[in-house]
Amino acid sequence: MTTTSDATTSPAGESSLIPTLPGAAYVDPAVFARECERIFEDMWFCAAHASDLPKPGAFRTVQVGRESILLTRSRRGELRAFYNICRHRGARICLEESGEKARSFQCPYHAWTYDFDGRLVAAPNLTKMPDIDRVDYGLRSVHVRSWMGYVWVSLADDPPSFEGTVEAEVVARLGTVDKIASYDIASLSVGRRITYEVKANWKLIVENFMECYHCATIHPELTEVLPEFADGLAAQYFVDHGAEFGEDVRGFTIDGSEGVGVLPGLDEDRDRKYYAITIKPQVFVNLVPDHVIWHRMYPISEQLTIVECDWLYTADVVASGRDVTASVELFHRVNQQDFEACERTQPAMSSRLYRDGGVLVPSEHHIGDFHAWVTARTAPDAG
């Protein structure tokens, strides 16, 4: 949830209203296919939390663009990511979303078997085929790395600079990466996870998160905690701006009650503020004094997006079993309100009335930069 400038008028000679993307951008399968190829399958994609892969053989499958990706850990505990495709005849290796294997991954079709490093270790009659290179015919790996306690993958042959893309989004929002370091996100534990099936295009969800023009209309609980949001102010528009808690608000909770204690090491000037960061293409980070809320989207089709939301607390809070319902309920309710709004918008994207798109008011003009970014990434001549 975020907003932009408090200006109500545009500079002389500029229109108060600027155009959005055309409706087809949200409903055309060909557009979505280009986005998969040029964005989700080419950039760094936040795939899972590190705790989803607690030990060797633990696995999770995730959808990255048009591809199913298998995440696991080697016997040395190192992160591994592979296309979830058998090298023999293309059967999907793991059909489950998550699980644990004792020794290897075996294709359920012809029993080609791979170790946790992806090497082909067994297959019917394999000894009669000595010319088969077990590494060359192993699972095809993709680039993987860990950052902020999350597992990120890139399907590109030559991935973009992580610092120049992912970390650059944090710099653009907070001024430096150091500003997020005091939250020590990698040390936090998942206290609650809620998965949402949103019948809307992924870009509508990003646009919604970037602005707060709608906050006074659909987020009564949020604007009670963050009063400036009632004025439509988009915090993400300003470098290192944090939305102040209301005077009588004690914590980022559904009723403004006290939270679970300020995170260790947090700067004093951040102990009563909310910060939101959009990390293109599919991550939202929400920083509050006692926890972090981390969204990641899995675009499934041009009209369906799965959103997985983690509420992260210190390991002590999670281990103690402390009740965090009041803090979870606040943003869970915000999520429900936002996703309902996106689903209400999606059907109109195919209307002839929306053929040329809609408009953005001044407090939403920064969304135009997001539209320009998507357009540039998916242009026919984009490399």
Side-chain angles (χ1 to χ4, degrees):
M1 217 59 297
T2 345
T3 334
T4 101
S5 154
D6 56 356
T8 56
T9 58
S10 297
E14 292 186 12
S15 173
S16 295
L17 303 179
I18 63 174
T20 67
L21 294 171
Y26 304 89
V27 296
D28 187 341
V31 171
F32 182 71
R34 285 199 301 276
E35 291 170 346
C36 287
E37 177 187 0
R38 308 285 183 81
I39 296 177
F40 308 122
E41 298 168 15
D42 194 55
M43 299 183 67
W44 285 102
F45 188 101
C46 186
H49 191 265
S51 65
D52 295 330
L53 307 166
K55 61 182 181 178
F59 72 89
R60 179 164 180 189
T61 58
V62 296
Q63 191 71 20
V64 180
R66 298 161 297 182
E67 303 286 355
S68 176
I69 300 300
L70 172 61
L71 309 172
T72 191
R73 288 190 187 274
S74 71
R75 294 204 176 278
R76 297 176 298 282
E78 298 165 337
L79 288 171
R80 295 285 184 264
F82 308 101
Y83 287 96
N84 187 21
I85 296 174
C86 181
R87 297 298 306 283
H88 172 222
R89 295 270 297 281
R92 188 159 287 193
I93 299 290
C94 291
L95 301 178
E96 308 95 334
E97 181 179 306
S98 62
E100 186 178 319
K101 300 293 185 181
R103 293 181 297 276
S104 58
F105 296 106
Q106 186 175 83
C107 175
Y109 193 4
H110 295 95
W112 278 38
T113 304
Y114 307 88
D115 67 17
F116 299 149
D117 282 309
R119 183 174 178 268
L120 178 66
V121 293
N125 304 316
L126 184 60
T127 56
K128 297 180 180 179
M129 298 176 279
D131 57 317
I132 293 182
D133 187 303
R134 299 191 182 202
V135 173
D136 286 348
Y137 281 90
L139 295 177
R140 184 61 55 84
S141 65
V142 300
H143 300 277
V144 61
R145 64 173 295 167
S146 178
W147 187 71
M148 294 288 167
Y150 282 86
V151 180
W152 301 71
V153 298
S154 174
L155 279 54
D157 292 336
D158 184 16
S161 161
F162 197 88
E163 294 73 19
T165 53
V166 175
E167 292 187 17
E169 300 277 12
V170 177
V171 172
R173 175 65 182 92
L174 299 181
T176 68
V177 174
D178 293 341
K179 293 286 181 66
I180 203 172
S182 57
Y183 293 85
D184 197 11
I185 296 175
S187 75
L188 303 181
S189 299
V190 179
R192 190 75 57 85
R193 172 176 291 171
I194 300 178
T195 302
Y196 306 85
E197 183 178 289
V198 188
K199 296 179 177 65
N201 185 274
W202 69 280
K203 295 187 295 298
L204 291 178
I205 300 172
V206 174
E207 294 162 12
N208 172 276
F209 185 74
M210 291 181 71
E211 54 92 0
C212 220
Y213 190 49
H214 66 277
C215 287
T217 307
I218 70 172
H219 294 318
E221 300 87 0
L222 184 64
T223 54
E224 279 291 318
V225 175
L226 305 173
E228 70 179 58
F229 277 12
D231 297 327
L233 177 67
Q236 285 188 64
Y237 181 82
F238 303 101
V239 176
D240 204 30
H241 175 75
E244 295 269 3
F245 288 5
E247 186 175 343
D248 298 325
V249 171
R250 299 169 62 197
F252 196 75
T253 55
I254 190 65
D255 56 3
S257 60
E258 190 172 354
V260 294
V262 176
L263 293 171
L266 196 66
D267 299 339
E268 269 188 34
D269 64 343
R270 294 173 182 263
D271 64 359
R272 286 182 53 80
K273 291 181 180 178
Y274 161 88
Y275 297 83
I277 307 167
T278 301
I279 301 179
K280 296 190 294 288
Q282 42 83 243
V283 172
F284 307 145
V285 183
N286 306 272
L287 306 172
V288 295
D290 63 331
H291 65 284
V292 171
I293 307 154
W294 189 289
H295 297 70
R296 58 194 177 281
M297 296 187 295
Y298 302 91
I300 304 301
S301 74
E302 64 277 6
Q303 302 192 54
L304 177 63
T305 307
I306 302 300
V307 182
E308 196 164 85
C309 186
D310 292 340
W311 281 260
L312 307 171
Y313 302 87
T314 62
D316 289 347
V317 167
V318 175
S320 71
R322 185 164 176 177
D323 186 6
V324 294
T325 302
S327 59
V328 170
E329 181 59 26
L330 175 56
F331 226 90
H332 173 52
R333 202 167 296 186
V334 170
N335 285 338
Q336 291 176 312
Q337 293 157 348
D338 280 338
F339 299 154
E340 180 183 346
C342 293
E343 291 183 335
R344 189 182 304 121
T345 303
Q346 181 66 38
M349 299 298 99
S350 58
S351 168
R352 67 181 65 187
L353 181 65
Y354 211 79
R355 180 188 60 193
D356 298 322
V359 294
L360 301 170
V361 301
S363 64
E364 302 171 305
H365 280 189
H366 60 299
I367 295 175
D369 294 335
F370 169 65
H371 291 162
W373 175 83
V374 171
T375 300
R377 292 282 315 187
T378 57
D381 58 349

